[in-house]
Structure formats: structure tokens, C-alpha cells
Amino acid sequence: MTSGADGLILGIETSCDDTAAAIVSDGRLLSSFVSSQPLHDQYGGVVPELASRDHQKNVVAVVREALRQASVALSDVDAIAVTYGPGLAGSLLVGLSFAKGLSASLGVPLIGVNHIEGHIYSVFIEEPSPRFPFLCMIVSGGHTMLVHVGENGEHDILGRTRDDAAGEAFDKVAKMLGLPYPGGPEIDRRTSEGDPDFHRFPRARLDGYDFSFSGIKTSMLYFLNDIPEADRGRFLADHMSDLCASFQSAVVDMIMDPLSRAVHDMRIQEIALTGGVSANSGLREAASAFCKEKGRHLYVPKPEYCMDNAAMIATAAYYKLASGITSPLTLTADPAATLA
């Protein structure tokens, strides 16, 4: 894909519970600011109505901070990029409505970005970045998919989860274990002190390059239910890290198996690992070891660009704008948007 979109792009991301804004200039990141919503921790998950309310309260201040960090004025902005889906309907509407207002008032183009596409292009936020074509393994709380990314922006989905996303499985299992939300980082933190061979959870193996994580979640539930209730508290206290390590080992195996087969079948040299779960230490280590053994190049964003952020939205918009792609002001939020 050729690039060459000049000027400043303001990116806005409000697909879930993080209000984020970023400034990209000629493809180079100038600032990235994220305001999280810790109020959801007490509920063990994101409450959609509370999330959209917080976006309404925070979006103006977040955009101002991104502009301040980049040392630019709003009047300097040449295009507005915004996530239109997938995500929570109310959250998406806040960011999209605000972006439309800015686009109309400034008289600059609006660029709608699919949130999944943003994760793909997060590997271009900083150097080094992959060459086209490349394989992108997207692993997050809402999505697990393997995508072939072509030179002119083509996205061919090779495999996807048939049930839970990997990040969703992490959070649900963490809740079973009585760990705080968000559960994925907490499980990852505890694995360093645990034995991954303590218990072998089943690994789902599907045809093609698809994924399935509902089985391992059920397996953990059955495992815990088999422990007498009177003994369960002591057992978890003694073996929490072992269970976390065993579970994480299984999930990493189930992610790496389709990826490794696709790399072998398609003979692609460039591999990207993105999405919130790509910050997981076990997955990063497994992907790095695999690529080193097979002589492939691996690209993983910094942890702050693996999570939801506007830098990836503005970066994806830079490539779209370079290809002459903009969006009308009639663009609507699409909570169930698929990757085109």
C-alpha cells in the first residue's frame, strides 16, 4: 500500500470503556491520550450505560489533552478519524457524534475506522513495521481472528473464533477463580509463579484456522466443581498460580496452532500480533520463539498500543486517506461491524 496523506489527523476512539484521542502527522504519532473508566471494576465487567455517560463527560477533555501534548491547535487538524464499530452502541455514538461535529465545523474530511482494522494497523504506529502482505493475529476481549493483510488494504479473514474470544475466556475464567476484573492481566501476572503442567486443560483443534475457547472455559468450571466445596478455598489458595499457568498455557497453544499452520501453508514471512491479549507475556514469548525458529519476522505493538487507543485509529485513517478513502457525515455507528 502506498502512503502519502499529508497533514494532521485527529483520531477518536470510544468503542468500549476507554475514551481516547491521538494526533498523527504525516503518519507519525505526535500524541496519544487514554482516559480509562475504573468504575466498571466493581461490577466485574463493563456496564454499557455507565460507559457511554463517562465518554460524554470525558471526550472534550481527552481531545484537548491530545492536542496539548502534540502542541497543535484544533484549527490545525486536517482530518478527523473515529471508530464507528464494532463496539458498544452508546459508546460508539458518543465518539462518532463528536467527530462528525468537528468534521462539519472545521470543514475537514471524516474517516470512519473499523475498530478491528485499527488493531491491524497498530503495528504501524512505530518502527519497525511489517511489509505487505502480512499475517495479523488479532487477539482481544471481543475478537480472535487471523487475517491476511494485502498491499492495497485487502483484509482476508482466514480464521476466527466460533464462540468466545480469547480475552473473554480469560476474564470469565478469572471470575471463576475469584480474581479481580480485568482478569486477563491478573492471570498473566500469576503465571510466573505457577506450573503450566499442573493440570492439562483440553486444547480445541478445529478444521482450517478457526478458534474455539468455550471448551476450556467449561473444563475449568468442571475442574473446580470436582473439588469439594469445603476444600476449594484452601486448594485455590495453594494452587491459584498453578491453575493460572495451566490455563494460560492451553490458551496460548490454541492461538499458536492455527497461526503456525497458516504461516506454514501460506509461506508468509511477516507476522503481526495485535489486540489487548497480545500484551500477554506467555503469548508474546510463544510467538517470538516460533518466529525465531521459523525465520519469520514478528511485529507486536507496545503494550499501550495493544489495548484500545486512538493512535491505532488515526494511523489506520492515515492509510485510508492516502488511498483517497473518506466517510460521509451520514456514517452511522455499527456495533456489529465486520472487517471489510
Side-chain angles (χ1 to χ4, degrees), residues 28-310:
R28 183 172 60 90
L29 182 66
L30 299 186
S31 69
S32 177
F33 184 71
V34 180
S35 176
S36 299
Q37 299 178 4
L39 61 94
H40 301 283
D41 294 356
Q42 61 186 305
Y43 301 105
V46 177
V47 180
E49 183 178 351
L50 297 180
S52 58
R53 287 180 183 179
D54 252 35
H55 287 310
Q56 288 178 321
K57 289 188 290 186
N58 296 334
V59 65
V60 172
V62 167
V63 168
R64 283 177 176 166
E65 180 60 18
L67 292 167
R68 187 195 68 79
Q69 290 183 6
S71 298
V72 299
L74 184 59
S75 58
D76 297 326
V77 171
D78 298 297
I80 308 293
V82 63
T83 305
Y84 69 88
L88 301 176
S91 294
L92 290 167
L93 280 170
V94 174
L96 183 57
S97 299
F98 187 69
K100 285 182 178 182
L102 289 178
S103 172
S105 63
L106 295 173
V108 299
L110 176 73
I111 308 163
V113 176
N114 185 297
H115 183 78
I116 304 171
E117 189 177 17
H119 278 305
I120 291 174
Y121 287 87
S122 64
V123 290
F124 292 94
I125 294 174
E126 296 181 319
E127 296 291 343
S129 57
R131 296 167 297 173
F132 296 95
F134 64 93
L135 284 180
C136 186
M137 182 74 242
I138 307 164
V139 197
S140 69
H143 311 281
T144 301
M145 61 177 64
L146 183 58
V147 181
H148 179 274
V149 184
E151 190 166 0
N152 294 307
E154 307 98 339
H155 305 127
D156 183 14
I157 299 177
L158 304 177
R160 67 177 81 215
T161 182
R162 296 187 184 178
D163 37 63
D164 290 347
E168 186 180 3
F170 267 107
D171 286 340
K172 288 181 176 178
V173 165
K175 191 171 184 177
M176 292 180 199
L177 296 173
L179 298 176
Y181 176 85
E186 186 66 20
I187 287 177
D188 188 29
R189 184 182 69 81
R190 291 172 179 268
T191 58
S192 61
E193 301 173 355
D195 177 9
D197 297 319
F198 174 74
H199 179 76
R200 182 169 178 80
F201 289 103
R203 274 75 164 159
R205 295 287 188 265
L206 305 180
D207 294 335
Y209 307 120
D210 280 353
F211 307 84
S212 173
F213 299 99
S214 64
I216 189 173
K217 182 185 64 178
T218 303
S219 180
M220 175 65 82
L221 179 63
Y222 287 165
F223 179 88
L224 294 175
N225 286 343
D226 283 342
I227 303 170
E229 189 172 351
D231 302 329
R232 197 172 301 158
R234 171 54 59 186
F235 180 87
L236 289 176
D238 292 341
H239 298 292
M240 180 66 76
S241 294
D242 296 326
L243 282 175
C244 288
S246 298
F247 170 77
Q248 179 163 296
S249 175
V251 172
V252 169
D253 284 351
M254 287 189 287
I255 294 171
M256 289 302 304
D257 179 67
L259 174 60
S260 61
R261 286 189 282 110
V263 169
H264 176 269
D265 295 345
M266 305 189 74
R267 301 186 181 280
I268 287 185
Q269 297 296 314
E270 308 283 286
I271 314 298
L273 180 63
T274 68
V277 182
S278 68
N280 180 276
S281 63
L283 181 56
R284 283 182 173 236
E285 290 168 7
S288 178
F290 168 77
C291 288
K292 183 176 181 179
E293 177 187 352
K294 301 298 181 182
R296 265 52 173 194
H297 303 119
L298 178 66
Y299 304 88
V300 188
K302 287 181 178 178
E304 59 262 38
Y305 302 133
C306 295
M307 310 305 175
D308 290 352
N309 65 89

